[in-house]
Amino acid sequence: MTMNNNTSECIIVRGAKVHNLKNVNVNINLHKLTVVTGVSGSGKTSLAFDTIYAEGQRRYVESLSAYARQFLERMDKPDVDEVIGICPAIAISQKNSSRNPRSTVATQTEIFDYLRLLYARIGKTYCHSCGQIVKRDTPESIADEILTLTPATRFYVVFPAFTEIVKSSRSKQTNSVKAHLMSLMQRGFTRLYQEGQIIELQTPESFTGENLENTYVLVDRLVIKADVRQRLIDSIEIAYQSGGGQVGIFTLATAEATSKELYFSENFECKTCKITYLLPEPRLFSFNNPYGACSTCQGFGNTIGIDLDLIIPNRQLSLSAGAVDPWTKPQFDWALLELKDFCKEAQIPMNVAFDDLTPAQQNLIINGDKKAKWMGVKGFFDWLETKKYKLHIRVLLSKYRGYTSCSDCAGARLRQEARDVKIGNKNLPEVLSLSIIKAAKFFDTLSLTETETAIADRLLLEIRRRLHFLLDVGLDYLTLNRLASTLSGGESQRIQLATNLGSSLVGALYVLDEPSIGLHPRDNQRLINILKNLRDIGNTVLVVEHETAMIKSADYVIDVGLGAGEFGGEIIFEGTLEKLLKQENSLTAKYLRGELEVKTPKLRRSIGDKKIEILGASEHNLKNINVEIPLGVMTCITGVSGSGKSTLIHNVLYANLKKQRGEWQEKAGNCRQVLGGKYLSDIILVDQSPIGRTPRSNPVTYIKVYDVIREVFASTKEAKAHGYDASHFSFNVPGGRCETCEGDGTITVEMQFLADVELVCEECKGTRFKSSLLEIKYRNRNIHEVLQLTVREAISFFSNIPRITNKLKVLDDVGLGYLRLGQSATTLSGGEAQRVKLASFLAKRTSEKTLFIFDEPTTGLHFDDINKLLISFRRLIDAGASIVIIEHNLDVIKTSDWIIDLGPEGGEQGGFVIATGRPEEIIELEHSYTGKFLREHLQNCLQEV
Ligand code: ADP
Ligand code: ADP
Ligand code: ZN
Ligand code: ZN
């Protein structure tokens, strides 16, 4: 099949009607960088991903296996008249694509595969007992070594005579010794060597059979001189064959030197310690392979044990106030009594915070004191282990169990023999624990011998290339062994980008979704250069993006609009930036020209006394920092990617505040103390994670308005007549829902090599309900039709039921009026999900004294949407809430009341507080990247107003 049979210079899309697209035509120029922009919900994703990418992927499947093709008919063909000139398409999205919990940065970028090969080919094994290099001796290498001895030295080539027999029992030995000697004689070996004596074997009886271990068979007698090499090699080979891979070279004493016994072996073992090692091969270096994985932890790097953070969840509590959680249970009050006795004796105060006890005192409490007959926390748990046959004890133990680093491999995941193999003095786990910048330096400066270079050159080239791509996309601070599951959406996307750069595919269509997410303005230019590079090597690049610098760098811009949902779906403009700037009706153009802008507030809220104080935060890369977050205002946390923003806000601030309330079971980020929690009635993290993982969750179930809608349907005359109650209108429980798809409306089919494919349920045709239930109508619409309404349409449809409209209006307020009530949670973007969550809090009106935490809330938002979002934030603060935002968007940063800038760089070079203050103060600071970019941004704003 040929995909590129058109000769035109562009991909031509005709009659696209996917989602809200209004039968649009558009051309994408080949080998160019095109940015698709427009307000959130206008149809950018529907065009770029759901039409163009989907068609590219479908054509690609057509060219693949029969197995894949059988689903083709059922694979949704995008609703488009035709797409001409499409090339193989690659989507680089924000979704974390990996489901393997062991997947890491190194495995995702294929660097791991190359490293395994590299270690297998040129790694050197060092004995873990004596540190010597472990080698396997070849006849050639032995000969080379022997020929360095003093010329004219006489020596014997021997092999151990009775290796096998020595291992067997005494009673069997006499007979087998005879048989063995016979067989040796038959093979032509007629001399034995024992402690300096040569024994001539006339008959097997010539040997008396004492001291079997020190008896050798003499293969050859030689003298060191130049032409002896070949004969020596032959003799060693004979000795290896007959002696089970062992050979000895015994020199005779000369005038200058005493006699010497040198041992060599064909086995891969330490000649001194006699420890056998495994030959390096790729599977030895894989923790996914049972052969290479550490057997204690099965390659996970951690094992389950008791977790002190769970046992002492709040280190601010004193011992008498119940710092040791298990001892607050009535059934263990005896342990508390023992603790009291011990504390009295050891003079440990029971009424101060556990954290304020000296390290020695804490140690006594935890590890016990034998002399004082005090068991300690550890002893208590050892005792519990012996009572595990009781169910309630098992339940209790499970509550305090957590992951601890594996005692055997200390988290390295590989078995000892793999860890003994090194290159440039580092073993594989050590290399994997390097940050990308350090790994790049390591491999750039690695010096190899000529032979090693010949074997490993290609591998090294691939490794270096990939590391440099990762540097280019700004991920220098990530370690190679970082788990993929802990990466942010932006980081994960940039890793896919680097991986694709590594594969240097040409002639493909790359479709990207907001690649600037998570990037500080400082690093935007680098990202843009990479996309241009991708284009210049012969690819077509299509980017959905809102960020100004990216729009300004595009060859072509496609502006989708004008509004969202029903009010969008049209191509407002396609062409170059120059022409876009002249457009009258484009919102994007108005913002780019500065006619519209996100206003900088003239007055900022005053900073009061109430604040949250974080003391000594040291999780991940944080450098034992103290941070004050003022309450009742909007605070922005800024800094380059990897500087520590998420660590400070998610792991330290959020987790510790939650832990203080007993609402956090896992480990909270390390810090000495978080003060000020008493000012807060609640702490709410509004992040971009999906609002539900099944298609059965949707915006109206999430904001709890669906319950009311179901009641409305259940209260109709027809429903009552059929005996339907509110639960029949639910897709979560059997009753009214379609049972074929269990209310999903779709069926998921797993494909071997592509992402899973969703197919519309054949039974209910995607309506999710039984046909009998669909006959029940309220104001002439059935439940399925109501779920198809947009939020705005529903507001007028239910206008007489304020319980419904009040909540729906909040969705409209946060800019989601275009969403359909029943649009499944799985199709919402991260930004939309975040705004649905925001709406649910606004609808509850419980925001007084609540601390809201947002993580890049501008994801997916156009300038125009940001204005709306800021209005919602204002409402929350006016109602008494406090807001903390992790953000790179300069329009949001400039409107904040307070900025906390972290840095200066990502990873180890970050984790410091660089600056704090009002935006006007931050822009004066030379050493803050945020200050520098904010200053430029504000100058532009002023010029353009
Ligand atoms: P953008 O990418 O510009 O934010 P989208 O293309 O995601 O906009 O959405 C355009 C419209 O299509 C919106 O009204 C959105 O709610 C709707 N939409 C998006 N995905 C789906 C879907 N899977 N099913 C139904 N409607 C959808
Ligand atoms: P930011 O939010 O500013 O981009 P992060 O807080 O995500 O920065 O990262 C700060 C540092 O901590 C980086 O070096 C990062 O690699 C490291 N880090 C973050 N999360 C984890 C994790 N789950 N495991 C190990 N290291 C992490
Ligand atoms: Zn282990
Ligand atoms: Zn169904």
Side-chain angles (χ1 to χ4, degrees), residues 294-299 301 406-411 413-414 419:
C294 164
S295 56
T296 308
C297 62
Q298 267 104 43
C406 170
S407 57
D408 186 356
C409 67
R413 298 159 156 229
L414 293 175
R419 284 180 273 140

Side-chain angles (χ1 to χ4, degrees), residues 9 99 132 375 382 404 540 686 717 810 860:
E9 287 301 298
R99 300 210 190 127
Q132 266 182 48
M375 59 180 176
D382 289 344
T404 50
T540 305
V686 191
K717 256 197 228 127
V810 185

Side-chain angles (χ1 to χ4, degrees), residues 645-646 648-655 657-658 663-664 682-691 702 833-838 840-841 850-857 882-886:
K645 302 181 297 298
S646 321
L648 179 69
I649 298 305
H650 290 246
N651 304 39
V652 177
L653 176 71
Y654 180 70
L657 283 175
K658 281 289 191 192
E663 296 164 13
W664 189 258
D682 204 356
I683 303 106
I684 290 168
L685 177 66
V686 191
D687 61 8
Q688 308 207 2
S689 59
I691 60 170
Y702 194 83
Q834 191 177 36
R835 276 172 289 141
V836 170
K837 290 181 201 174
L838 173 60
S840 86
F841 295 115
T850 300
L851 173 65
F852 285 95
I853 298 173
F854 292 89
D855 193 347
E856 290 209 79
S882 309
I883 295 187
V884 172
I885 311 174
I886 299 177

Side-chain angles (χ1 to χ4, degrees), residues 429-503:
E430 283 164 350
V431 166
L432 290 173
S433 69
L434 295 176
S435 64
I436 286 165
I437 180 109
K438 287 203 179 128
K441 282 208 187 100
F442 176 77
F443 284 107
D444 284 348
T445 56
L446 186 65
S447 73
L448 298 177
T449 66
E450 216 168 290
T451 352
E452 285 170 338
T453 309
I455 304 171
D457 216 19
R458 278 239 13 115
L459 295 175
L460 268 179
L461 186 83
E462 292 296 337
I463 293 169
R464 288 184 185 134
R465 236 162 53 92
R466 284 174 167 74
L467 287 171
H468 283 275
F469 286 134
L470 287 165
L471 291 183
D472 287 345
V473 294
L475 294 175
D476 49 304
Y477 58 92
L478 291 181
T479 56
L480 285 170
N481 60 10
R482 177 71 174 276
L483 285 177
S485 55
T486 66
L487 296 173
S488 69
E491 284 170 337
S492 161
Q493 189 183 33
R494 278 176 281 140
I495 283 186
Q496 294 173 50
L497 192 57
T499 308
N500 276 291
L501 285 166
S503 73

Side-chain angles (χ1 to χ4, degrees), residues 94 327 392 521 545 642 687 918:
Q94 306 261 342
W327 297 343
H392 73 276
E545 185 59 272
D687 61 8
R918 303 271 189 186

Side-chain angles (χ1 to χ4, degrees), residues 20-87:
N20 68 335
L21 295 179
K22 298 193 174 132
N23 198 9
V24 298
N25 304 329
V26 72
N27 292 351
I28 312 289
N29 286 281
L30 290 176
H31 314 310
K32 297 288 180 206
L33 170 60
T34 302
V35 168
V36 184
T37 188
V39 299
S40 171
S42 60
K44 302 178 295 297
T45 314
S46 302
L47 177 68
F49 282 88
D50 303 331
T51 307
I52 300 174
Y53 167 70
E55 186 61 12
Q57 196 199 26
R58 216 178 56 88
R59 300 272 187 92
Y60 185 55
V61 172
E62 260 175 3
S63 71
L64 292 173
S65 74
Y67 173 82
R69 276 202 306 270
Q70 65 177 325
F71 295 106
L72 202 63
E73 285 162 37
R74 295 183 65 193
M75 229 170 125
D76 254 348
K77 188 178 181 307
D79 190 358
V80 55
D81 297 341
E82 59 179 350
V83 180
I84 302 168
I86 189 93
C87 23

